[in-house]
Amino acid sequence: MPLPLYLLAMAVFAMGTSEFMLAGLLPGIASDLDVSVGTASVLTSAFAIGMMVGAPLVAALARNWPSRSSLLGFVLAFAAAHAVGAITTSFPVLVATRVVAALANAGFLAVALTAAATLVPADKKGRALAVLLSGTTVATVAGVPGGSVLGTVFGWRATFWAVAALCLPAALGILKGTPAGRGKDDATGGPALRAELASLARPRLIVVMLLGALVNAATFGSFTFLAPVVTDTAGLSELWISVVLVLFGAGSFVGVTVAGRLSDRRPGLVVAVGGPLLFVGWPALAELADKPVALCILVFVQGVLSFALGSTLITRVLYEAAEAPTMAGSYATAALNFGAAAGPAVAATTLSTEFGDLGPLWMSGLLVAVALLIALPLRTVVAAGRSAEVLQ
């Protein structure tokens, strides 16, 4: 894999850390800015919505810009938003910085997904995506727990400064390692924006976007509410929350890495094997969550399966959106973040039911079941190997 891919992954690591770090920082932010924890949670929603809406919007605005300029601009805007957030004493200003950061993140990821696909041969998109998304999985393994510790010791503002600092070497790497010119599609004019947007009407693309969103909703629906499962259901100390999150992150890294080897040529195998196992795994985790050893093992396994299946489906989005070369990454980003925003919201409704803290795990199983029911009669859509463009 080319060096620029790893430089892009470094930026994705910083952005992934920012996206998930608020779970451990909200109490400190609420206390410092004199708002309730419930009000402070608006910061999470603002980021997710900004990512979902911003991906196609910002990608459309930046579609005629050279990739390097776009990526560099988004990284620097992301860093600036965190710097402002680290010094502000106003909660509304902090919310605004999260929206700006989300838009920059969405734009970066949309352009990066498209750029990554152009840096490798046409039948290696899955492996390129795996390298890029490894930044997110490493963020869940190291960045988020590290940010939580940093926030606990030095305050939440230190974590914001750390994320801003992480963007600087990533920006330098993009400046030095990413080609300055436009991609081949830009050089030849490429399709018009209207034609690229028209690809959204293609049923095959809609199906794989929906499947990717459902699987990601299941993933983040449970990931968001793992803390009370660890402390209340399993009876472990708060220190074990970070351990369990790291296990899930380590599993996600393994899942993305394995799927990267299979998603280009054998996506049907990943879906056929990983889908049912993921469906069974969430209820199994709910039933065995009171047993610490089983909890740790199943969290790791679910991390593997969730990201193997999710990254494979997102790779299919890139293939099915081949007729939209500058917007394909934004479609994948929108699908991912629709799931990331909707999953926790849907899962939260189960907390007040008889299922209690285990409700999100059961809901994740239901979301995967819905995805499988949709995928089963349409299995040829996700089972196809390389796109028609590649086969020609």
Side-chain angles (χ1 to χ4, degrees), residues 18 21-22 25-37 39-47 78-103 156-161:
S18 175
M21 71 183 182
L22 287 185
L25 302 179
L26 287 183
I29 293 174
S31 176
D32 189 23
L33 300 183
D34 196 25
V35 297
S36 68
V37 173
T39 300
S41 68
V42 170
L43 296 168
T44 301
S45 300
F47 196 94
F78 189 82
H82 282 76
V84 173
I87 62 177
T88 187
T89 58
S90 167
F91 183 72
V93 171
L94 185 59
V95 173
T97 66
R98 294 304 288 171
V99 174
V100 171
L103 291 174
W156 65 272
R157 296 178 189 276
T159 305
F160 274 64
W161 280 119

Side-chain angles (χ1 to χ4, degrees), residues 110-192:
V111 175
L113 284 168
T114 302
T118 64
L119 290 171
V120 297
D123 61 347
K124 300 294 184 183
K125 290 182 181 180
R127 291 188 62 184
L129 181 64
V131 172
L132 192 66
L133 291 184
S134 68
T136 298
T137 59
V138 172
T140 62
V141 175
V144 174
S148 179
V149 171
L150 191 63
T152 300
V153 176
F154 297 105
W156 65 272
R157 296 178 189 276
T159 305
F160 274 64
W161 280 119
V163 170
L166 281 173
C167 292
L168 299 182
L172 181 61
I174 291 168
L175 188 62
K176 296 294 185 181
T178 304
R182 296 184 178 189
K184 60 183 179 181
D185 293 306
D186 296 323
T188 58

